[in-house]
PDB file of all heavy atoms in Angstrom:
ATOM      1  N   ILE S  54      -3.113  -2.324  19.453  1.00 94.00           N
ATOM      2  CA  ILE S  54      -2.706  -2.892  18.184  1.00 94.00           C
ATOM      3  C   ILE S  54      -1.880  -1.902  17.345  1.00 94.00           C
ATOM      4  O   ILE S  54      -2.314  -0.781  17.125  1.00 94.00           O
ATOM      5  CB  ILE S  54      -3.963  -3.338  17.393  1.00 94.00           C
ATOM      6  CG1 ILE S  54      -4.798  -4.339  18.212  1.00 94.00           C
ATOM      7  CG2 ILE S  54      -3.564  -3.928  15.999  1.00 94.00           C
ATOM      8  CD1 ILE S  54      -6.120  -4.705  17.567  1.00 94.00           C
ATOM      9  N   PRO S  59      -2.008  -3.469   6.441  1.00 93.00           N
ATOM     10  CA  PRO S  59      -3.150  -4.376   6.414  1.00 93.00           C
ATOM     11  C   PRO S  59      -4.206  -4.050   7.455  1.00 93.00           C
ATOM     12  O   PRO S  59      -5.418  -4.053   7.191  1.00 93.00           O
ATOM     13  CB  PRO S  59      -2.586  -5.751   6.549  1.00 93.00           C
ATOM     14  CG  PRO S  59      -1.171  -5.609   6.191  1.00 93.00           C
ATOM     15  CD  PRO S  59      -0.757  -4.284   6.573  1.00 93.00           C
ATOM     16  N   MET S  61      -4.651  -1.094   8.998  1.00 93.00           N
ATOM     17  CA  MET S  61      -5.314   0.178   8.659  1.00 93.00           C
ATOM     18  C   MET S  61      -6.402  -0.047   7.581  1.00 93.00           C
ATOM     19  O   MET S  61      -7.464   0.533   7.669  1.00 93.00           O
ATOM     20  CB  MET S  61      -4.296   1.171   8.288  1.00 93.00           C
ATOM     21  CG  MET S  61      -3.404   1.657   9.400  1.00 93.00           C
ATOM     22  SD  MET S  61      -2.323   3.058   8.997  1.00 93.00           S
ATOM     23  CE  MET S  61      -1.278   2.315   7.737  1.00 93.00           C
ATOM     24  N   VAL S 150       7.938  19.122  26.918  1.00 79.00           N
ATOM     25  CA  VAL S 150       8.423  19.846  25.661  1.00 79.00           C
ATOM     26  C   VAL S 150       7.685  19.402  24.450  1.00 79.00           C
ATOM     27  O   VAL S 150       7.492  20.168  23.504  1.00 79.00           O
ATOM     28  CB  VAL S 150       9.908  19.685  25.494  1.00 79.00           C
ATOM     29  CG1 VAL S 150      10.241  18.216  25.149  1.00 79.00           C
ATOM     30  CG2 VAL S 150      10.443  20.617  24.431  1.00 79.00           C
TER      31      VAL S 150
END
Side-chain angles (χ1 to χ4, degrees):
I54 301 174
M61 289 188 297
V150 67

